[in-house]
Short mmCIF file of all heavy atoms in Angstrom, two decimals:
data_model
loop_
_atom_site.label_atom_id
_atom_site.label_comp_id
_atom_site.label_asym_id
_atom_site.label_seq_id
_atom_site.Cartn_x
_atom_site.Cartn_y
_atom_site.Cartn_z
N GLY K 17 -24.91 24.27 -3.83
CA GLY K 17 -24.45 23.77 -2.56
C GLY K 17 -23.02 23.58 -2.45
O GLY K 17 -22.53 23.18 -1.34
N GLY K 19 -18.85 24.46 -2.37
CA GLY K 19 -18.11 25.46 -1.66
C GLY K 19 -16.91 24.94 -0.97
O GLY K 19 -16.40 23.91 -1.36
N LEU K 20 -16.43 25.60 0.11
CA LEU K 20 -15.32 25.27 0.81
C LEU K 20 -15.65 24.70 2.13
O LEU K 20 -16.51 25.24 2.84
CB LEU K 20 -14.50 26.52 0.97
CG LEU K 20 -13.17 26.40 1.73
CD1 LEU K 20 -12.14 25.42 1.03
CD2 LEU K 20 -12.52 27.73 2.00
N ALA K 21 -15.04 23.61 2.50
CA ALA K 21 -15.18 23.00 3.77
C ALA K 21 -13.95 22.44 4.26
O ALA K 21 -12.90 22.22 3.54
CB ALA K 21 -16.14 21.83 3.67
N GLN K 22 -13.78 22.39 5.57
CA GLN K 22 -12.59 21.81 6.26
C GLN K 22 -12.74 20.29 6.29
O GLN K 22 -13.84 19.74 6.27
CB GLN K 22 -12.46 22.35 7.60
CG GLN K 22 -12.06 23.82 7.65
CD GLN K 22 -11.61 24.32 9.03
OE1 GLN K 22 -12.13 23.81 10.03
NE2 GLN K 22 -10.79 25.29 9.15
N ALA K 23 -11.59 19.55 6.34
CA ALA K 23 -11.67 18.18 6.52
C ALA K 23 -12.44 17.80 7.73
O ALA K 23 -12.28 18.42 8.81
CB ALA K 23 -10.26 17.60 6.62
N GLY K 24 -13.34 16.82 7.54
CA GLY K 24 -14.22 16.37 8.62
C GLY K 24 -15.49 17.11 8.63
O GLY K 24 -16.44 16.71 9.33
N GLY K 25 -15.63 18.13 7.78
CA GLY K 25 -16.91 18.95 7.75
C GLY K 25 -17.92 18.33 6.78
O GLY K 25 -17.73 17.19 6.27
N SER K 26 -18.90 19.08 6.54
CA SER K 26 -20.12 18.58 5.76
C SER K 26 -20.54 19.66 4.72
O SER K 26 -20.38 20.85 4.89
CB SER K 26 -21.30 18.24 6.64
OG SER K 26 -20.96 17.22 7.51
N LEU K 27 -21.07 19.19 3.61
CA LEU K 27 -21.76 19.98 2.69
C LEU K 27 -22.90 19.19 2.07
O LEU K 27 -22.87 17.96 2.08
CB LEU K 27 -20.75 20.34 1.45
CG LEU K 27 -19.67 21.45 1.75
CD1 LEU K 27 -18.72 21.49 0.52
CD2 LEU K 27 -20.28 22.76 1.95
N ARG K 28 -23.92 19.93 1.61
CA ARG K 28 -24.97 19.26 0.96
C ARG K 28 -25.15 19.86 -0.44
O ARG K 28 -25.36 21.09 -0.56
CB ARG K 28 -26.33 19.35 1.77
CG ARG K 28 -27.42 18.51 1.14
CD ARG K 28 -28.70 18.47 1.96
NE ARG K 28 -29.52 19.69 1.62
CZ ARG K 28 -30.86 19.65 1.80
NH1 ARG K 28 -31.51 18.57 2.22
NH2 ARG K 28 -31.56 20.70 1.58
N LEU K 29 -25.15 19.04 -1.45
CA LEU K 29 -25.38 19.45 -2.76
C LEU K 29 -26.86 19.16 -3.16
O LEU K 29 -27.44 18.21 -2.69
CB LEU K 29 -24.48 18.69 -3.76
CG LEU K 29 -23.00 18.78 -3.47
CD1 LEU K 29 -22.19 18.02 -4.56
CD2 LEU K 29 -22.47 20.22 -3.32
N ARG K 47 -17.95 13.09 -10.07
CA ARG K 47 -17.02 14.16 -9.77
C ARG K 47 -15.81 14.01 -10.65
O ARG K 47 -15.45 12.94 -11.17
CB ARG K 47 -16.62 14.14 -8.28
CG ARG K 47 -15.88 12.98 -7.80
CD ARG K 47 -15.70 12.99 -6.30
NE ARG K 47 -14.93 11.82 -5.81
CZ ARG K 47 -14.76 11.55 -4.53
NH1 ARG K 47 -15.30 12.30 -3.60
NH2 ARG K 47 -14.00 10.47 -4.19
N VAL K 72 -16.72 6.67 -1.05
CA VAL K 72 -17.68 7.55 -0.31
C VAL K 72 -18.65 6.81 0.60
O VAL K 72 -19.41 7.50 1.38
CB VAL K 72 -18.41 8.58 -1.25
CG1 VAL K 72 -17.45 9.31 -2.14
CG2 VAL K 72 -19.50 7.77 -2.02
N GLY K 74 -20.60 5.21 3.40
CA GLY K 74 -20.60 5.55 4.87
C GLY K 74 -20.45 6.95 5.11
O GLY K 74 -20.55 7.38 6.32
N ARG K 75 -20.01 7.79 4.17
CA ARG K 75 -19.82 9.25 4.42
C ARG K 75 -20.84 10.00 3.60
O ARG K 75 -21.27 11.12 4.16
CB ARG K 75 -18.41 9.61 4.02
CG ARG K 75 -17.31 8.86 4.74
CD ARG K 75 -15.93 9.50 4.43
NE ARG K 75 -15.60 9.37 3.02
CZ ARG K 75 -15.27 10.41 2.20
NH1 ARG K 75 -15.35 11.66 2.68
NH2 ARG K 75 -14.96 10.15 0.98
N PHE K 76 -21.19 9.70 2.44
CA PHE K 76 -22.12 10.38 1.59
C PHE K 76 -23.48 9.66 1.58
O PHE K 76 -23.54 8.52 1.68
CB PHE K 76 -21.59 10.50 0.21
CG PHE K 76 -20.36 11.36 -0.08
CD1 PHE K 76 -19.64 11.81 1.10
CD2 PHE K 76 -19.95 11.64 -1.33
CE1 PHE K 76 -18.54 12.62 0.89
CE2 PHE K 76 -18.82 12.49 -1.54
CZ PHE K 76 -18.14 12.98 -0.36
N THR K 77 -24.51 10.57 1.47
CA THR K 77 -25.89 9.99 1.30
C THR K 77 -26.60 10.64 0.17
O THR K 77 -26.67 11.90 0.11
CB THR K 77 -26.69 10.25 2.62
OG1 THR K 77 -26.02 9.60 3.74
CG2 THR K 77 -28.06 9.58 2.54
N LEU K 89 -27.19 15.37 -2.29
CA LEU K 89 -25.98 14.56 -1.91
C LEU K 89 -25.46 15.20 -0.71
O LEU K 89 -24.90 16.27 -0.70
CB LEU K 89 -24.88 14.57 -3.01
CG LEU K 89 -23.70 13.67 -2.71
CD1 LEU K 89 -24.10 12.19 -2.79
CD2 LEU K 89 -22.51 13.96 -3.72
N GLN K 90 -25.72 14.50 0.46
CA GLN K 90 -25.25 14.94 1.74
C GLN K 90 -23.78 14.39 1.93
O GLN K 90 -23.64 13.14 1.91
CB GLN K 90 -26.17 14.45 2.89
CG GLN K 90 -25.62 14.80 4.29
CD GLN K 90 -25.66 16.32 4.52
OE1 GLN K 90 -26.61 17.00 4.16
NE2 GLN K 90 -24.61 16.84 5.15
N MET K 91 -22.85 15.19 2.11
CA MET K 91 -21.52 14.80 2.18
C MET K 91 -20.95 15.11 3.50
O MET K 91 -20.83 16.30 3.98
CB MET K 91 -20.61 15.47 1.17
CG MET K 91 -21.15 15.32 -0.27
SD MET K 91 -20.10 16.01 -1.55
CE MET K 91 -20.22 17.68 -1.13
N ASN K 92 -20.64 14.07 4.34
CA ASN K 92 -20.09 14.21 5.70
C ASN K 92 -18.70 13.68 5.80
O ASN K 92 -18.25 12.97 4.88
CB ASN K 92 -21.06 13.43 6.69
CG ASN K 92 -22.44 13.98 6.76
OD1 ASN K 92 -22.71 15.20 6.54
ND2 ASN K 92 -23.34 13.11 7.01
N SER K 93 -17.96 14.01 6.85
CA SER K 93 -16.66 13.53 7.09
C SER K 93 -15.81 13.73 5.80
O SER K 93 -15.09 12.87 5.34
CB SER K 93 -16.62 12.04 7.45
OG SER K 93 -17.39 11.77 8.55
N LEU K 94 -15.91 14.92 5.30
CA LEU K 94 -15.19 15.28 4.01
C LEU K 94 -13.70 15.16 4.22
O LEU K 94 -13.15 15.38 5.26
CB LEU K 94 -15.56 16.62 3.66
CG LEU K 94 -16.93 16.75 2.92
CD1 LEU K 94 -17.42 18.24 2.96
CD2 LEU K 94 -16.94 16.17 1.56
N LYS K 95 -13.00 14.79 3.07
CA LYS K 95 -11.65 14.56 3.05
C LYS K 95 -11.05 15.48 1.92
O LYS K 95 -11.75 15.75 0.97
CB LYS K 95 -11.21 13.11 2.79
CG LYS K 95 -11.76 12.08 3.72
CD LYS K 95 -11.47 10.72 3.33
CE LYS K 95 -12.03 9.69 4.30
NZ LYS K 95 -11.72 8.34 3.94
N PRO K 96 -9.75 15.86 2.06
CA PRO K 96 -9.19 16.65 0.93
C PRO K 96 -9.28 15.94 -0.48
O PRO K 96 -9.41 16.60 -1.43
CB PRO K 96 -7.68 16.76 1.36
CG PRO K 96 -7.77 16.74 2.88
CD PRO K 96 -8.83 15.77 3.22
N GLU K 97 -9.29 14.69 -0.46
CA GLU K 97 -9.41 13.94 -1.71
C GLU K 97 -10.80 13.96 -2.33
O GLU K 97 -11.00 13.50 -3.40
CB GLU K 97 -8.90 12.51 -1.52
CG GLU K 97 -9.54 11.72 -0.44
CD GLU K 97 -8.64 11.66 0.81
OE1 GLU K 97 -8.01 12.75 1.16
OE2 GLU K 97 -8.54 10.66 1.47
N ASP K 98 -11.73 14.53 -1.53
CA ASP K 98 -13.07 14.72 -2.11
C ASP K 98 -13.20 16.02 -2.97
O ASP K 98 -14.18 16.30 -3.53
CB ASP K 98 -14.14 14.77 -1.00
CG ASP K 98 -14.27 13.54 -0.29
OD1 ASP K 98 -14.31 12.52 -0.89
OD2 ASP K 98 -14.45 13.55 1.04
N THR K 99 -12.14 16.78 -2.98
CA THR K 99 -12.08 18.03 -3.72
C THR K 99 -12.24 17.75 -5.21
O THR K 99 -11.52 16.86 -5.76
CB THR K 99 -10.78 18.83 -3.49
OG1 THR K 99 -10.71 19.23 -2.14
CG2 THR K 99 -10.69 19.97 -4.42
N TYR K 102 -18.35 18.58 -8.86
CA TYR K 102 -19.38 17.60 -8.72
C TYR K 102 -20.46 17.89 -9.73
O TYR K 102 -21.01 18.99 -9.87
CB TYR K 102 -19.97 17.57 -7.32
CG TYR K 102 -19.10 16.90 -6.33
CD1 TYR K 102 -17.85 17.44 -5.96
CD2 TYR K 102 -19.34 15.66 -5.86
CE1 TYR K 102 -16.94 16.81 -5.00
CE2 TYR K 102 -18.52 14.99 -4.92
CZ TYR K 102 -17.33 15.55 -4.56
OH TYR K 102 -16.44 14.91 -3.74
N VAL K 131 -16.45 21.64 -5.17
CA VAL K 131 -16.37 21.36 -3.82
C VAL K 131 -14.80 21.33 -3.49
O VAL K 131 -14.00 20.61 -4.08
CB VAL K 131 -16.95 20.03 -3.45
CG1 VAL K 131 -16.61 19.56 -2.04
CG2 VAL K 131 -18.47 20.07 -3.64
N THR K 132 -14.44 22.12 -2.44
CA THR K 132 -13.04 22.13 -2.05
C THR K 132 -12.96 21.86 -0.55
O THR K 132 -13.58 22.49 0.24
CB THR K 132 -12.42 23.53 -2.37
OG1 THR K 132 -12.53 23.83 -3.69
CG2 THR K 132 -10.90 23.57 -1.96
N VAL K 133 -12.08 20.82 -0.24
CA VAL K 133 -11.93 20.46 1.17
C VAL K 133 -10.49 20.69 1.56
O VAL K 133 -9.52 20.25 1.01
CB VAL K 133 -12.34 18.99 1.32
CG1 VAL K 133 -12.12 18.53 2.78
CG2 VAL K 133 -13.72 18.66 0.75
N SER K 134 -10.37 21.51 2.58
CA SER K 134 -9.04 21.88 3.00
C SER K 134 -8.61 20.94 4.22
O SER K 134 -9.45 20.60 5.01
CB SER K 134 -8.95 23.38 3.43
OG SER K 134 -9.85 23.59 4.55
N SER K 135 -7.32 20.77 4.28
CA SER K 135 -6.84 19.86 5.39
C SER K 135 -6.50 20.65 6.61
O SER K 135 -6.53 21.87 6.62
CB SER K 135 -5.58 19.18 4.83
OG SER K 135 -4.59 20.07 4.43
#
Side-chain angles (χ1 to χ4, degrees):
L20 178 65
Q22 290 189 331
S26 299
L27 286 172
R28 188 175 82 155
L29 306 183
R47 65 187 182 187
V72 306
R75 299 188 299 121
F76 291 11
T77 302
L89 184 69
Q90 177 67 43
M91 304 185 295
N92 298 329
S93 302
L94 284 163
K95 303 176 180 180
E97 51 263 43
D98 294 320
T99 295
Y102 283 71
V131 171
T132 302
V133 183
S134 62
S135 57

